[in-house]
Every structure is written in C-alpha cells, then in structure tokens.
Amino acid sequence: MPFTINLDAGILIAAGLFVLYSLIAGPRDNRRLGSVADTAARQAFYRNVLIQGFVVGIVGGLAILALKGRLGALSQLPPEFMPAHQFLQGPIAGAAFWVLVAGAVSLWIAPRLFRVLKPSKTEKSAKSARATFKAVPFFPRNGAERNWVVIISLVAGVNEELLFRLALPLTVYSASGNLVLALIAPTAAFGLGHLYQGAAGVLASMFVGALLLGVYLASGSIWLAMAAHALLDLVTIVVLSWALDRRARHWPAESAA
C-alpha cells in the first residue's frame, strides 16, 4: 500500500520543521547578531528577517488558505471558531478578557515603557541602556536600522497573525476536529519560535500570542489582531530602542551606537 500524506498532514509537517529550524537558528543568529557592530551587516540581517517573514508568513499563510479553499476566512470568522467567539462575546467572559488585556497593557507594558521614555541623562541610565542593547541584539542601533525594524514590525503583524492565528489553527482543527488543540498548539509554536529570547521570552510570547488570539476571536477580525500585533512590536521594539539609544548617547564614550 503506497504511503500518502494528506494536505493537512503535509502543512503540519512543514510547520513543525519550520518551528524546529527556528529553535536551532533563532538562538544561533541572535548570538551572532550580538557580536556584529557594522551597521551594513546588521541591516543585511534585518533584510533577511523581513524576507523570511514575508515568504513564510504571508506567502505561506495565503498558500495554506488557498489550498484549503479558505481565503474567505480573511474577511469572515471561520465557523470552526464560532464557539470561542460566542464564548468571548458573553458578558462575563468578554468583560474578563478585555479587563485582562487592559491589565496587561497598564501593568506590564505601560510602566516599563514610561520608565524608559522618561527623560534621564544620568550615567546610570546610560549604562542601563547599553546593557539592554547588549542583552537584546535585535534592537536597532541607529536610524537606518530602525527603518528596517519598522517595516519588519508592520510585516510581522500581518504574517504572524495570518499564520499562527488563522492558517495553522484551521489546519489543526481540520486534522483533529478539536478546537482547543487548534487554538493552543499554534500559540505554543508561536512562543517556541521566540526561544532566542530565552525561557522567559518563550512564556511571554505565548502569553502575548494568547491575548492576540483572544482579540481575534472576540472581535471576529483577523485584521484587528494584525494591527494590534504591529502596534505592539512598534512600541516595544522601535520606540523602546529609540528611547534607549537616546539615553546611551548622553555618554558617547560608551554609546551603544
């Protein structure tokens, strides 16, 4: 009897291989980027990240939907997700979810961002900024690099939501018939793809991924989740790195730029 792989199995195998590649290449590339000071080489790295995100996330995500005949899911919540949507539309569950989102923004993101954006010209703040650049090699170090990361953030908002919140959940559901698994497995894979940030980064990414999934399911709009994701990346990467660079430059002898 010939060995055959159906469409869903093939998609999930390909996705699994990509996650495995990310687990290996992500930490390796992050270490290498940390040792690169030449801005031309760093911009080449950002360009490759952008291309990979576009090809894997946008082209790959659209290809999955097209092969499954589900391109309509871009404009209308798939019926498979309707039970989760109806649950989050309930007065108690819905209110609890949006309170959770507001709490995450006000208690987790906003205080950290405020501390960094607050003007500070002390040597201590400059040293702290340089330490952050050292710990997070992906942070851009100058205007040219930030331009690349702005584009990456916008594209990531589209490609990661398209892939991890729509195309892969639909595939897992059609392969398993289990809605809970269809929602949890891609979110876990999304978190594992951030292994280069360490264990804390994986857990934080899973949490953020779960919130973005909730935004999608509660609103019924994948475009709202994409916009929220892009805005989050712009704030936590582009704005934050700009503020840190401004602090570091007050002591140019040890500047991160």
Side-chain angles (χ1 to χ4, degrees), residues 8 13 60 64 109 114 150 154 175 178 181 197 224 236 242 250:
D8 289 337
I13 290 172
I64 291 172
I109 298 175
F114 175 77
V150 167
L154 295 173
N178 189 311
L181 180 63
Q197 297 178 4
L224 180 60
T236 58
W242 168 79
H250 285 301

Side-chain angles (χ1 to χ4, degrees), residues 13-30:
I13 290 172
L17 290 174
F18 176 71
V19 171
L20 180 61
Y21 167 78
S22 299
L23 292 175
I24 298 171
R28 179 200 64 199
D29 292 344
N30 195 56

Side-chain angles (χ1 to χ4, degrees), residues 60-149:
L62 290 175
I64 291 172
L65 294 179
L67 288 171
K68 295 175 68 64
R70 303 301 301 272
L71 286 172
L74 291 169
S75 58
Q76 186 174 4
L77 185 74
E80 296 93 328
F81 299 164
M82 194 57 67
H85 173 68
Q86 292 173 341
F87 174 74
L88 289 173
Q89 287 289 300
I92 297 177
F97 171 71
W98 290 113
V99 166
L100 177 62
V101 172
V105 171
S106 60
L107 299 178
W108 181 28
I109 298 175
R112 289 167 172 76
L113 189 62
F114 175 77
R115 284 199 297 269
V116 174
L117 291 177
K118 183 180 179 181
S120 178
K121 299 181 180 180
T122 66
E123 184 175 7
K124 181 180 179 180
S125 69
K127 288 182 177 179
S128 176
R130 289 191 293 273
T132 303
F133 276 113
K134 184 176 181 180
V136 188
F138 190 79
F139 273 2
R141 312 297 174 87
N142 55 49
E145 293 180 17
R146 274 192 293 276
N147 290 338
W148 279 106
V149 178

Side-chain angles (χ1 to χ4, degrees), residues 67 172 217:
L67 288 171
V172 174
L217 295 174

